[in-house]
Amino acid sequence: MQIQEPQLQGQDTGMQCEDDRTGIGVETLKRAFLDNLFYVQGKFPALATKHDYYMALAYTVRDRLLQRWVNTAALYTQQGSRTVAYLSAEFLMGPHLGNNLINLGIYNQVQQAMTELKLDLKELLAKEEEPGLGNGGLGRLAACYLDSLASLEIPTLGYGIRYEFGIFDQLIRNGWQVEKTDKWLRYGNPWEIARPEWAVSVKFGGRTEAHKNAQGRYQVRWIPHKVVLGIPYDTPILGYKVNTANTLRLWKAEAPESFDFEAFNRGNYYGAVDQKVTSENLTKVLYPNDETYEGKQLRLEQQYFFVSCALQDMLRIMIRQKLPLEQFHEKFAVQLNDTHPAIAVAELMRLLLDEHEMGWEPAWEITQKTFGYTNHTLLPEALEKWSLKLFSSLLPRHLEIIYEINWRFLEQVRHKFGTDEGRIGRLSLIDENDGKFVRMAHLACVGSHKINGVAALHSELLQKTTLLDFYEFFPEKFTNVTNGVTPRRWIVLSNPKLTNLITSCIGDNWIKHLEDVQRIETYAEDPGFQQEWQQIKRENKVNVAEILLDRTGVKVDPDSLFDIQVKRIHQYKRQHLNILHAITLYNQIKQNPGIDVTPRTLIFAGKAAPGYYIAKLIIKLINSVAEVVNKDPDIGDRLKVVFLPDYNVKNSQPIYPAADLSEQISTAGKEASGTGNMKFAMNGALTIGTLDGANIEIRNAVGAENFFLFGLTTEDVGALRLTGYRPWEYYKENPQLKQAIDQIASGYFSHGDRSLFKPLVDLLLDKDPFMLMADYQPYIDCQQQVSQTYRDRDRWLQMSILNTARMGKFSSDRAIREYCQQIWKVQSVPVQLAAEKTGDGWFGTVTSDQLSVTSDQ
């Protein structure tokens, strides 16, 4: 793979005077690689494994990040730069090595260096463990935003949890999802640096005591039941074609004392390490199953833990930089990525009130000016609530503060709207229905100065439905920032051949300014360009075909239409609508074996939450249908169905470039935005979709004629619910649909087992909460239009090129610029490298007397 790369500022690509820690010449890289293999890995080539080689290369690349990282931190410290603090329970970063090679501009040099050392860079990239610190779109969005923040030179700290075990590895056994522990840290993580000197203490449980301080002011002392240490681990996040390297700071839980000698000497060997085990359980697993009380408690503990660590860390930085705490909101713009970090509102108040003895009014003003809240869902069940019993036992001081916030807020509500008890109940931070709960989305809304949705439709529906009362109370808080994805990972790294084709025509500025990619529109009808475009797409499809054969044993035809749906498995995303289409196609061929159909390969991937039975049953159905279809000699290569296991960032990178058709078929009004829809279209896939989430804006951007639209609108869904939705009638009146449902129910796809899919069939015929049956026929009709269009090669290629050309809006760079302008009010801080070598090594602009403060951020 060769990528056309510009050079970074301050770099000298020549061989002379290159330092082995920072140089980027091929010979320098080879020397540095072998040094790291020997001195860090303790291996020489005869004994080294492929993983040793990967680690040596990772350390070689990290060395080149450190110069930028230290200089960036030094500059931020010197200037006291206003900083974005991005709080997220998930950061689905994906493998670091390839992305850092792209952003450093040294992919080709490293590839050549490895080739000369008789190593395959592609094999070394494959050795990197996926850091599975996220579940899906929420965590991947956070990762794209960190990339863009660094690329736009915005001072940033990402704060989250260093989960020891990330999202589970997915195996498929007998068609069922099986969860396997994700031991991503088993061989170490070369990209992180532990910072135990910045550990903070986090309290849990216990009780509060009120008293008056020396000035006679009312104060509250929190006496906790237990204390846990938070240890920060820092990872540099380098921007593209700049010298800015921001920090992702993830927190690990440890016990203040990890070994009890007294217990050990009494023979209580388990008790000697009990505190260590209990404390470290806090950051063991991403999203523990919260069906049980203990699971809910652990999840709330996790959320409070990382939020408290982050805010204490920000206060440490304020004090270190000698900034008055009254300027906290001027120093930090803190973004809450969904409701998981919403407890930060109460925690900042606690820290200012109790730890720093600030009055309520100034503390509340600082708090509201500090936070922005991004809402990612319209589903009421996804808006977190915690029972008062759990909350009070774990965070007694915070509950007191929330009561006070709520009392003051509801007084304002009464002043504006009068004694409308219904509205007051709906706005209250405490849910009085079905037991009492703390509403975290309400806390985030009241405690933030801005609230944003993540697509135009989503933001509109938030204001009209989910957060209507809040919108009516303070409409000035609400805004929209449509999501985006980084073109560095999702085009440049994932699709190098397409990258080179685009760059050869319009230059490389589009990588940093994706709106420039529109210039390839002039080539959309050019036969030579179309031919190259088609060849690249086919090569990408061949690659995925090889992956599918290797991992599933299913052989697919790369010349067939690659129809792909990859995302979290959930009923509202409607993978089961897609599989009904597969059954319909199968039946059409079986009933007329000589029928002329467009050959199609349906590719699915995604994980179901371990406790989500219906989602896991959908995975089983996909695999059961695949088993029948793929083995039927009447079908041949005209139809294949494949489920690719263990969907994650690493495994998704080859998939997006290979797609002909992108399935974005959620029930209208249920998908907040989606980002997979953007990645597919950027790589030239055409979309079949509903008017949901960002689909609407994508369709507007690429043109209605280049988008396959079907299905109910949000208004249609609402009207149908009001008049009474009867899925059974769609089943009775549609022979194709009835046949497909009956086959599933009869055991046709389950070796005669009629009970296996009964829960799914009963749900569809009785309730069908996501209106699959109503959208079935429009979907089938639209898919027929897809098949016909695919046969017109020139038309399809033109549509594909125009999809890529018109996706400039959906770069995460654009989204971050909007956040900076609308919400954070933060400016870029360019970092320059003087590249001055001192006796202590390469520190660029950093002088010896600055070294003590360079890493404050």
Side-chain angles (χ1 to χ4, degrees), residues 197-453:
E197 69 275 17
W198 294 336
V200 298
S201 296
V202 181
K203 304 173 185 178
F204 293 97
R207 69 184 192 280
T208 63
E209 289 182 353
H211 67 282
K212 289 189 176 181
N213 65 11
Q215 290 75 40
R217 178 181 290 173
Y218 177 83
Q219 293 289 140
V220 177
R221 182 185 300 113
W222 180 11
I223 302 170
H225 170 68
K226 70 174 180 179
V227 176
V228 174
L229 285 183
I231 311 297
Y233 284 74
D234 286 359
T235 300
I237 306 298
L238 181 69
Y240 174 76
K241 204 178 171 183
V242 294
N243 294 312
T244 297
N246 287 325
T247 297
L248 171 61
R249 184 160 291 163
L250 302 178
W251 298 87
K252 176 187 177 185
E254 289 188 2
E257 294 292 337
S258 59
F259 191 81
D260 186 339
F261 274 102
E262 186 177 345
F264 184 84
N265 290 333
R266 291 197 310 267
N268 184 4
Y269 304 128
Y270 177 80
V273 295
D274 182 49
Q275 189 180 14
K276 173 181 171 64
V277 171
T278 302
S279 297
E280 293 186 2
N281 278 344
L282 206 154
T283 53
K284 281 284 182 186
V285 180
L286 170 72
Y287 289 169
N289 189 334
D290 60 0
E291 295 296 316
T292 66
Y293 181 86
E294 292 76 15
K296 288 181 172 64
Q297 177 177 322
L298 179 54
R299 189 157 176 176
L300 179 55
E301 283 180 339
Q302 286 183 339
Q303 293 179 6
Y304 173 64
F305 168 76
F306 95 84
V307 160
S308 180
C309 289
L311 289 170
Q312 290 186 66
D313 192 60
M314 289 179 236
L315 288 168
R316 175 190 63 79
I317 292 170
M318 293 281 295
I319 293 167
R320 184 63 182 268
Q321 296 183 7
K322 297 181 172 60
L323 298 172
L325 296 188
E326 288 76 14
Q327 295 178 10
F328 187 89
H329 59 286
E330 298 173 16
K331 169 64 178 175
F332 289 106
V334 182
Q335 194 67 23
L336 307 175
N337 193 27
D338 216 9
T339 54
H340 309 124
I343 190 61
V345 172
E347 173 65 358
L348 182 56
M349 286 296 290
R350 183 191 73 83
L351 290 167
L352 295 178
L353 293 170
D354 299 352
E355 304 294 331
H356 297 281
E357 300 189 354
M358 193 177 288
W360 181 277
E361 285 76 13
W364 184 240
E365 182 180 3
I366 289 169
T367 297
Q368 283 191 306
K369 288 181 177 179
T370 294
F371 292 110
Y373 164 48
T374 300
N375 175 284
H376 284 278
T377 184
L378 293 163
L379 301 177
E381 64 269 22
L383 296 176
E384 288 185 310
K385 300 190 302 183
W386 301 109
S387 73
L388 287 190
K389 177 185 176 184
L390 170 61
F391 205 96
S392 61
S393 67
L394 202 62
L395 302 171
R397 177 57 180 143
H398 297 77
L399 187 57
E400 293 174 355
I401 291 170
I402 288 170
Y403 280 149
E404 181 73 11
I405 294 171
N406 196 40
W407 178 79
R408 290 170 180 255
F409 171 59
L410 292 182
E411 283 298 295
Q412 293 176 312
V413 173
R414 290 185 179 96
H415 184 264
K416 183 169 184 176
F417 293 119
T419 56
D420 180 347
E421 293 303 321
R423 186 189 295 269
I424 290 170
R426 294 192 302 271
L427 282 168
S428 175
L429 275 59
I430 307 300
D431 184 350
E432 304 282 352
N433 302 313
D434 301 321
K436 295 188 176 183
F437 296 87
V438 180
R439 295 162 159 165
M440 302 310 288
H442 289 48
L443 179 61
C445 287
V446 174
S448 300
H449 68 280
K450 283 292 181 182
I451 303 162
N452 73 281

Side-chain angles (χ1 to χ4, degrees), residues 156 245 307 365 379 431 503 564 617 672 810 833:
T156 304
V307 160
E365 182 180 3
L379 301 177
D431 184 350
T503 300
I564 303 182
L617 194 60
F810 300 97
L833 296 186

Side-chain angles (χ1 to χ4, degrees), residues 550-845:
D550 178 58
R551 298 183 189 173
T552 71
V554 179
K555 185 178 181 181
V556 303
D557 178 9
D559 291 316
S560 64
L561 191 162
F562 272 25
D563 179 348
I564 303 182
Q565 187 175 20
V566 291
K567 54 185 69 211
R568 184 164 51 94
I569 308 296
H570 196 289
Q571 288 182 79
Y572 87 80
K573 295 178 185 287
R574 302 201 296 191
Q575 285 90 351
H576 43 341
L577 176 59
N578 193 347
I579 204 65
L580 282 177
H581 174 235
I583 295 171
T584 302
L585 289 176
Y586 171 76
N587 288 335
Q588 288 172 354
I589 298 173
K590 289 293 287 183
Q591 290 159 11
N592 184 3
I595 191 173
D596 182 19
V597 299
T598 301
R600 191 183 286 243
T601 298
L602 277 69
I603 301 171
F604 296 84
K607 295 176 180 178
Y612 191 175
Y613 177 72
I614 290 295
K616 297 175 91 167
L617 194 60
I618 290 172
I619 292 176
K620 174 61 176 174
L621 176 61
I622 293 168
N623 284 299
S624 297
V625 171
E627 183 182 9
V628 171
V629 170
N630 298 342
K631 292 180 179 179
D632 193 321
D634 291 342
I635 305 301
D637 285 338
R638 289 183 288 182
L639 178 64
K640 296 285 186 181
V641 179
V642 193
F643 189 95
L644 181 66
D646 204 30
Y647 180 67
N648 55 27
V649 176
K650 187 176 181 178
N651 290 333
S652 72
Q653 286 177 196
I655 293 176
Y656 292 108
D660 293 308
L661 186 68
S662 161
E663 295 271 352
Q664 308 298 330
I665 59 176
S666 54
T667 311
K670 297 302 180 183
E671 186 73 83
S673 169
T675 51
N677 47 7
M678 303 171 188
K679 297 164 194 170
F680 277 118
M682 282 181 182
N683 284 278
L686 307 188
T687 303
I688 182 170
T690 53
L691 285 178
D692 195 29
N695 283 359
I696 299 169
E697 291 163 81
I698 291 174
R699 181 171 178 263
N700 289 340
V702 304
E705 69 280 6
N706 299 309
F707 186 106
F708 296 102
L709 177 67
F710 78 95
L712 300 170
T713 65
T714 305
E715 293 75 17
D716 294 336
V717 169
L720 193 53
R721 289 201 194 285
L722 283 175
T723 57
Y725 176 53
R726 292 174 287 276
W728 179 264
E729 293 183 359
Y730 293 92
Y731 164 80
K732 287 192 303 182
E733 294 170 5
N734 190 315
Q736 286 188 124
L737 175 58
K738 185 176 187 302
Q739 181 184 10
I741 295 292
D742 288 348
Q743 284 173 307
I744 296 170
S746 70
Y748 186 93
F749 298 107
S750 51
H751 304 284
D753 185 349
R754 292 171 175 263
S755 64
L756 180 58
F757 298 117
K758 188 175 187 301
L760 184 58
V761 170
D762 289 349
L763 185 64
L764 289 176
L765 294 178
D766 182 26
K767 297 179 180 177
D768 188 19
F770 299 105
M771 299 192 171
L772 206 83
M773 312 295 263
D775 270 347
Y776 168 81
Q777 193 58 50
Y779 179 58
I780 297 299
D781 294 341
C782 192
Q783 287 283 18
Q784 182 59 36
Q785 182 188 352
V786 169
S787 293
Q788 292 170 356
T789 307
Y790 189 72
R791 289 169 174 254
D792 184 344
R793 171 192 172 278
D794 292 344
R795 173 70 184 126
W796 187 278
L797 286 170
Q798 182 185 0
M799 293 170 71
S800 174
I801 294 165
L802 290 176
N803 263 262
T804 297
R806 295 173 179 175
M807 286 298 290
K809 171 184 176 178
F810 300 97
S811 168
S812 50
D813 297 345
R814 183 270 316 153
I816 289 301
R817 288 191 189 99
E818 291 183 8
Y819 274 104
C820 289
Q821 294 160 7
Q822 298 179 32
I823 299 174
W824 300 332
K825 309 301 182 185
V826 63
Q827 303 295 321
S828 64
V829 178
V831 177
Q832 300 293 332
L833 296 186
E836 176 184 350
K837 190 171 184 182
T838 71
D840 297 319
W842 283 87
F843 294 112
T845 57

Side-chain angles (χ1 to χ4, degrees), residues 64-83:
R64 280 136 189 84
L65 299 182
L66 286 174
Q67 180 192 21
R68 293 163 180 80
W69 198 18
V70 171
N71 272 272
T72 300
L75 183 63
Y76 293 170
T77 300
Q78 291 161 17
Q79 296 191 359
S81 304
R82 179 163 169 79
T83 300

